[in-house]
Amino acid sequence: MDSFYLYSGSRFEGKQGNGKASYPVIIELKTVDLVHSRFTGYLHISGLTQEYPQLTTYFDGEIIGKHFSFVTNKWDATESVDLEYWSQFPEFHEIAHRWKIANSDDFDDKDHLFMRWKEDFLVPDHRVTSIVGASFAGFYYMKYSKSNGMFSGYYYHPKMIDKLQPLELRYVRERCSATFEFC
Amino acid sequence: DVQKWMGGELAESSVNALGSDDRDQCLKAVRSIKNATIGSNSKKRLYTNLGVIPKLERLLSSGDEELITQVVATLGSLINGTNPDSLKQIIESQIPIVLIQLLNHKSLKMVEATARTLKIFFRKPNAPHQLIFEVRFLNHQLILQERTLSGLVNLIKYTPENIAELAATILASFYTSRSYLEKSELLDRMRTYQTSLWASGAFEASMKLLFSNQTKVINAKSQESALRIVGFLSFMNLDICKSIAHHAKILDALNKLIRDSSPIIKLLAASCIANLSRCKIDTIVPLSDSATVAVVLKLLHTSDPEWIREEVPAALAHILIENEDLQRMVVDSDAITILISNLRDESASPSLIQSSLKALAAITELLEDGRRKVIDTGILPTIASFLENTSIGIRLAACDCIRSLSRSVKALRTALVDLEITPSLFKLLDDESVDIQTIALAALCNVILDFSPMKKMALENSGIKLICYKTSNSNVTIRMNAVWALKNLVFMADEETKESVLKELTPDGFFRLFKDPSEKIVILVAKLFRNMAFKHADWLVQRLDVSSIIQQLDSLFLESSPEILSEVLHAINNLTTGSDDTKTAIMNSPLIGKVILCASHPSAKVKIPIIWCI
C-alpha cells in the first residue's frame, strides 16, 4: 500500500516558501516506478516571477533506499549539506548513525520515504534554459508520508541566500482513476 | 573499344552455343562462361543481360551429369556477385527448386557442386529460405520423398566432411537470414521452423559436427554452422532447451568453445549458452550470464574478421531481451559508444547498421539510464533518418530504437519532440512490412500520451482515424497495439479528444472491441473504457447509452480474469463519479451486487479497486 497515493496522474497541492514569500505549488506525477525507485512529474508554481506567473517544470524523483543513497554526490551537494538537510526531518535521526549505508529494508515498515526531486527542464518548451528571478538548478530534499500522502521538504541551491526554503504538499483527493502503460 | 566489343561478341556466341545440339560445344560454352564470370562482376552482368540464365536452366534437365555439374558451378558464380539482376532472375525461376532436388543425386560430385552453389545462394538475404522447409525431394521414381530439411540433415550425418559442412551451412543460413524476425510477437513463426528443424534430427547432426575429427579448415566451418543451428533451435524455445540440456556433452562443448580463439565461434557459443540460460532449467549452464555478456562485450572491439563486427551487436541484442540486469551491465560498459560510432561510420555496411540499431534498441528497452545515455550522444537524428531506409531490417531496427526511447517522459518532451518524429511514425503504419507497422504503432502508443507534445500533431492529420482503423486489423498484435494507442490517447484527455475517438470507433464499434478473441486485447479495451469514463462519466453514459454500458460490464464479470475484473471495477467506480442520475443508474443495476461479491476475491488486483469504490 506504499503506493496508494503515488500513481500516474496523482496530484498534490501546497506551497513553497514562508510567509510573504510563499507561492502556491501543485505537482502532478507522470510515471511512478517503485521497482526502480524513480518517478517523474510536473511541478507548477504560481506567482514566482513576472515573466512567468505560471511556471511548470519537469522533475525526476529518486527514492532513497535500494537504488539511491542519502549521499547525493551530485548537484553541488556535499555530504555536510546532505546531513544538514536530511537532519531537518525528525524521522531521519533514527537512521542518522548509518545514513550512508541505508537501504530499502530500512523503510519497509516505516510510514515515511525519503526522496530527492530534481527539476530538469521547462514545460512546454524544454529549450528555455534560464529564467530571470527563478532558478531550477537546485533540488529538493523531501519526505513522503505513506499513510496520508503528504510531502514535506526543502529546496537546496548552493548559491541561495535564503536556505532551507520549505515545500509542503498534500494529496488532492480524486474519486476516479485512469491508467496508461508504455508500449 | 575493340576488346570490349570482341568480349561482347565472344560472350554472345557462348550464350548461343548453350542451345547447341552438339554436347561438346555446349559443355565448352558452359565452361567458358563459368571461367569468364568468376571474379568479374561486369562479366556476370554482361552474361545475365545476354539471357544466359534461362538457357542454363534448360540444361539442368539434360540428364548429362558432367554438363549439369558445370552448369551448377556457373550458376554459383553468377549468384556470387553484386549484380542484383542475376540473383533476381534465378529466384524467380525454377532453378532453386531444381538445385534442391539435385542434393539427392546419387553422384556425390554432383551433390557437392550443388551444395556449394546453394550455400552461396542461401547466403543472400532475399533468397527464398522457406524452400528449405517446403520443397520435397523427388526420388528416382519421381515419388515425393523426404523434405529437403531431412535431406540436408542426412547429408550432414552421412556424407564426407566437405559436403557435410556445406549442408550444415545451408541449414544454418536460414537463421542468419531471418535475424530481423525475432521480435517476441513473431516467435510463433519461428517456433514452427524450430520444431521442423528439431524433428529432422538437425541437433544430432550438429552434435556430430561438433565432435567429429575433421581437417582443421573444414572443422572450423562445420563448428560454425553447427553452432548456428543449435543457436537457432534454442532461441526462446523452452522445450528444445530442455532437451538440449540433457546432453552433458553439448554443455561441455559450449564451455570449451566460448574460450576458442576464433571470435565467431566464441560469439556463437556465447549465444547458445545465453539461450539455454534464459530458459532457466535446472541444469548447470556452463557460464553465468554476466560472464557470457562479458565475452560478447569484449568481442565488440574485434574487427578481425571484419564481418564479425556485423554479428556481435545482433547477438548482444538477443542476449539482452527482457533481461534488465544484463541491460544494466551493458549500459555501464562502453558498448553504447562503440555502437554509436558504428552508426556514424560512413563506410558501415547495411548489416552493421541494422545490427547496431538492434543492439541499441535492446539496451534501451528497460532502463531509463540507458535511454538518457544514448540520447546524450546526439545520435537521435541519425536513427530517425534510418526510418526511411530502403532496407526493411534497418527500418525495423530503427523503429524499435525509437520505441524503446519513447518509453521515457523526459525523452518524449525533449529529444524526441525536437526530432519531429510523429509524421515518420504515421507513415510507417502503412509500411510493406507488417512487423514494422506493429512496432511503429507501439512507438505511437507512447508518443500520443498526455505529457507528450507530439500528441497534438498526432491527432491532426487523421491520426485518430488511422489508429481506429487498425483496431480491426487481422493481425492480433497490430490490433492490440492499436487499442493500446487509443487507451493511452484518452488517458487524462479532454472530452474533445475522447469524442473524436468515439466518433471514429462508433458506439457499436467500441462495444465490438470487447468481443475480441484475444484476452490481452479485452483487458486493454476495459482499460480504454476506464479511461474514457475518467472525469467524463456523464458524457460517456450519454454517448453509449447507460443500459448498453451496464449490460457490457455485467457480461465481463462472468469468468473473467483478475486483470479484466480489476479494470471493470475501476470503470464502474469512474462511472459513479458522474451526476446523480448517472450514479443512481449504476447503483441500481446488477453491477453493484457483482462489485460487492468481488470484495471477497482472492486476488489483490481485484481488491484494490474496491477500495476506490468505497
Side-chain angles (χ1 to χ4, degrees):
Chain A
M1 294 304 290
D2 282 8
S3 61
F4 191 70
Y5 300 106
L6 300 175
Y7 56 88
S8 300
S10 62
R11 287 160 67 235
F12 299 77
E13 67 182 10
K15 65 179 173 39
Q16 176 166 333
N18 272 320
K20 269 208 210 129
S22 115
Y23 309 92
V25 171
I26 296 181
I27 66 161
E28 281 170 46
L29 298 189
K30 296 298 169 186
T31 59
V32 177
D33 180 1
L34 296 174
V35 169
H36 295 104
S37 311
R38 294 176 112 128
F39 56 96
T40 63
Y42 289 172
L43 189 150
H44 309 280
I45 187 165
S46 311
L48 196 60
T49 77
Q50 273 208 335
E51 197 190 345
Y52 288 88
Q54 300 292 330
L55 193 64
T56 306
T57 54
Y58 160 96
F59 72 92
D60 279 312
E62 305 176 340
I63 302 176
I64 310 302
K66 184 172 181 202
H67 295 100
F68 297 99
S69 157
F70 276 115
V71 181
T72 305
N73 204 18
K74 54 191 172 188
W75 307 327
D76 292 323
T78 59
E79 282 185 24
S80 73
V81 169
D82 284 336
L83 264 179
E84 182 192 345
Y85 277 74
W86 290 127
S87 302
Q88 301 298 319
F89 305 107
E91 296 85 349
F92 179 73
H93 297 296
E94 291 174 46
I95 201 167
H97 61 284
R98 37 187 293 274
W99 72 294
K100 287 193 194 179
I101 53 168
N103 58 52
S104 53
D105 293 339
D106 292 300
F107 306 103
D108 276 347
D109 56 352
K110 299 278 191 297
D111 182 46
H112 53 271
L113 289 173
F114 292 99
M115 320 170 152
R116 275 183 294 264
W117 295 1
K118 177 76 183 81
E119 292 166 284
D120 198 340
F121 53 86
L122 226 56
V123 174
D125 190 351
H126 71 98
R127 280 172 273 208
V128 175
T129 47
S130 68
I131 305 164
V132 175
S135 155
F136 50 90
F139 66 98
Y140 294 87
Y141 289 86
M142 300 297 295
K143 181 196 81 173
Y144 168 73
S145 300
K146 300 177 195 173
S147 55
N148 58 14
M150 288 201 55
F151 283 109
S152 67
Y154 303 91
Y155 181 66
Y156 166 74
H157 187 298
K159 297 195 175 66
M160 224 164 61
I161 308 158
D162 195 9
K163 299 254 181 202
L164 290 174
Q165 233 194 64
L167 173 65
E168 305 239 324
L169 303 156
R170 78 200 77 78
Y171 174 68
V172 176
R173 186 149 191 265
E174 204 54 86
R175 294 273 329 279
C176 38
S177 71
T179 170
F180 92 90
E181 282 91 26
F182 286 122
C183 189
Chain B
D1 61 28
V2 175
Q3 249 199 352
K4 218 172 171 181
W5 170 79
M6 291 241 351
E9 280 255 320
L10 274 169
E12 231 183 291
S13 73
S14 291
V15 172
N16 285 337
L18 291 180
S20 166
D21 288 328
D22 181 338
R23 184 261 189 189
D24 286 329
Q25 279 254 17
C26 205
L27 183 59
K28 190 172 163 199
V30 175
R31 278 214 172 92
S32 129
I33 295 172
K34 180 185 80 177
N35 293 335
T37 55
I38 288 179
S40 165
N41 278 318
S42 57
K43 285 278 160 57
K44 294 182 217 261
R45 215 176 313 129
L46 170 66
Y47 279 97
T48 302
N49 290 341
L50 287 172
V52 74
I53 290 172
K55 296 202 151 94
L56 288 173
E57 184 177 356
R58 234 168 283 141
L59 291 175
L60 281 177
S61 41
S62 64
D64 182 329
E65 260 179 50
E66 194 186 352
L67 183 59
I68 294 177
T69 309
Q70 289 301 314
V71 168
V72 167
T74 310
L75 286 168
S77 163
L78 287 167
I79 295 168
N80 194 23
T82 55
N83 183 15
D85 261 341
S86 315
L87 182 62
K88 186 166 182 280
Q89 278 188 34
I90 289 173
I91 289 177
E92 288 170 0
S93 72
Q94 291 295 304
I95 292 173
I97 296 180
V98 175
L99 289 178
I100 289 176
Q101 308 288 8
L102 286 174
L103 284 176
N104 196 32
H105 203 277
K106 56 185 187 317
S107 152
L108 281 183
K109 196 160 171 231
M110 174 87 85
V111 171
E112 183 174 352
T114 308
R116 210 167 284 285
T117 293
L118 279 175
K119 170 178 165 176
I120 300 168
F121 179 63
F122 282 119
R123 271 242 162 99
K124 299 288 177 184
N126 38 335
H129 293 85
Q130 71 277 9
L131 288 180
I132 295 175
F133 290 91
E134 290 166 11
V135 174
R136 292 191 128 118
F137 281 153
L138 287 179
N139 70 1
H140 313 294
Q141 283 87 40
L142 296 184
I143 294 169
L144 277 179
Q145 258 203 336
E146 45 186 54
R147 288 178 180 276
T148 307
L149 202 52
S150 317
L152 285 170
V153 169
N154 286 338
L155 287 178
I156 298 174
K157 283 179 171 169
Y158 305 124
T159 60
E161 60 181 29
N162 50 343
I163 300 180
E165 181 269 310
L166 292 168
T169 307
I170 293 170
L171 256 187
S173 67
F174 188 78
Y175 173 60
T176 7
S177 77
R178 297 183 109 67
S179 56
Y180 69 83
L181 276 183
E182 302 98 27
K183 292 300 299 166
S184 54
E185 302 93 32
L186 310 164
L187 275 180
D188 288 339
R189 252 184 274 166
M190 203 183 177
R191 215 144 264 164
T192 326
Y193 292 125
Q194 285 169 325
T195 308
S196 298
L197 196 58
W198 180 267
S200 70
F203 177 69
E204 287 76 19
S206 302
M207 291 273 274
K208 178 199 171 227
L209 288 174
L210 285 175
F211 292 106
S212 65
N213 256 332
Q214 301 175 96
T215 58
K216 200 164 173 209
V217 169
I218 304 239
N219 194 34
K221 290 195 213 168
S222 296
Q223 277 182 340
E224 183 186 325
S225 296
L227 285 173
R228 286 192 195 280
I229 293 170
V230 174
F232 176 73
L233 284 169
S234 57
F235 184 67
M236 299 192 82
N237 192 316
L238 181 59
D239 291 331
I240 290 184
C241 282
K242 277 189 187 155
S243 307
I244 291 178
H246 281 134
H247 299 257
K249 259 179 106 179
I250 188 80
L251 299 175
D252 287 338
L254 290 174
N255 197 18
K256 188 158 154 256
L257 292 168
I258 199 174
R259 294 171 172 81
D260 196 274
S261 55
S262 153
I264 188 65
I265 297 292
K266 269 216 232 317
L267 184 68
L268 294 171
S271 296
C272 290
I273 292 173
N275 288 348
L276 290 169
S277 168
R278 175 183 285 117
C279 289
K280 298 197 192 313
I281 21 192
D282 274 334
T283 298
I284 299 162
V285 179
L287 214 61
S288 72
D289 282 340
S290 46
T292 310
V293 167
V295 168
V296 178
L297 283 176
K298 205 157 165 225
L299 287 169
L300 269 179
H301 296 93
T302 308
S303 50
D304 175 33
E306 177 69 21
W307 53 265
I308 203 180
R309 287 176 70 208
E310 297 171 3
E311 295 223 24
V312 179
L316 185 63
H318 288 162
I319 296 174
L320 295 182
I321 289 177
E322 289 162 12
N323 190 319
E324 196 180 295
D325 292 332
L326 296 182
Q327 287 177 25
R328 155 93 30 220
M329 198 179 150
V330 175
V331 167
D332 292 342
S333 74
D334 63 353
I336 290 178
T337 311
I338 296 175
L339 295 168
I340 303 279
S341 76
N342 286 351
L343 293 183
R344 290 195 167 127
D345 182 353
E346 276 168 7
S347 62
S349 69
S351 292
L352 180 60
I353 302 283
Q354 180 180 321
S355 183
S356 304
L357 286 169
K358 273 189 78 166
L360 284 171
I363 292 171
T364 53
E365 185 199 0
L366 299 174
L367 295 172
E368 182 68 14
D369 288 340
R371 293 177 203 128
R372 292 191 186 184
K373 200 166 169 184
V374 169
I375 291 175
D376 285 345
T377 64
I379 194 67
L380 230 51
T382 307
I383 295 181
S385 71
F386 287 126
L387 290 176
E388 305 186 346
N389 196 278
T390 49
S391 148
I392 289 182
I394 290 181
R395 284 202 306 280
L396 180 62
C399 200
D400 210 15
C401 268
I402 299 293
R403 175 211 191 162
S404 286
L405 294 170
S406 70
R407 290 176 171 174
S408 154
V409 178
K410 179 170 176 176
L412 287 171
R413 287 221 65 97
T414 58
L416 287 173
V417 68
D418 289 345
L419 217 50
E420 300 182 347
I421 202 93
T422 316
S424 313
L425 290 174
F426 268 105
K427 196 159 155 232
L428 291 175
L429 287 187
D430 281 322
D431 196 280
E432 61 179 301
S433 153
V434 170
D435 304 336
I436 291 177
Q437 289 178 25
T438 312
I439 305 292
L441 197 42
L444 279 168
C445 285
N446 303 332
V447 161
I448 55 178
L449 277 163
D450 149 70
F451 34 78
S452 163
M454 296 171 275
K455 176 173 183 166
K456 187 161 180 288
M457 149 112 47
L459 301 190
E460 293 155 1
N461 310 312
S462 46
I464 295 187
K465 193 173 182 163
L466 270 165
I467 296 173
C468 286
Y469 181 63
K470 297 275 179 193
T471 58
S472 47
N473 195 284
S474 55
N475 179 301
V476 64
T477 315
I478 289 188
R479 275 201 317 278
M480 186 173 85
N481 288 355
V483 177
W484 198 317
L486 291 178
K487 172 198 73 158
N488 279 2
L489 179 63
V490 303
F491 171 72
M492 314 272 285
D494 55 25
E495 192 182 296
E496 195 189 326
T497 306
K498 294 182 183 180
E499 176 58 45
S500 308
V501 171
L502 203 47
K503 192 158 152 242
E504 216 42 71
L505 277 180
T506 77
D508 280 344
F510 192 177
F511 283 121
R512 227 174 320 173
L513 292 177
F514 279 106
K515 303 210 184 333
D516 196 291
S518 156
E519 189 184 279
K520 281 191 191 156
I521 292 181
V522 176
I523 295 172
L524 285 169
V525 178
K527 290 186 186 211
L528 169 61
F529 188 89
R530 170 186 175 184
N531 285 358
M532 288 286 239
F534 176 82
K535 300 220 161 148
H536 296 107
D538 294 329
W539 163 82
L540 192 64
V541 153
Q542 184 243 326
R543 287 291 268 118
L544 289 180
D545 167 53
V546 71
S547 47
S548 306
I549 292 178
I550 290 171
Q551 195 181 37
Q552 177 61 67
L553 293 178
D554 197 31
S555 72
L556 287 172
F557 276 103
L558 294 164
E559 292 172 83
S560 272
S561 65
E563 283 83 11
I564 294 183
L565 284 178
S566 173
E567 296 307 323
V568 172
L569 290 168
H570 275 296
I572 294 173
N573 179 51
N574 286 357
L575 287 171
T576 59
T577 63
S579 66
D580 286 339
D581 284 343
T582 308
K583 193 167 173 177
T584 312
I586 302 292
M587 296 297 279
N588 290 343
S589 75
L591 292 177
I592 296 306
K594 304 263 165 68
V595 170
I596 293 172
L597 278 173
C598 281
S600 45
H601 196 284
S603 163
K605 276 202 184 102
V606 174
K607 290 216 252 265
I608 287 176
I610 307 266
I611 299 174
W612 279 87
C613 288
I614 296 168

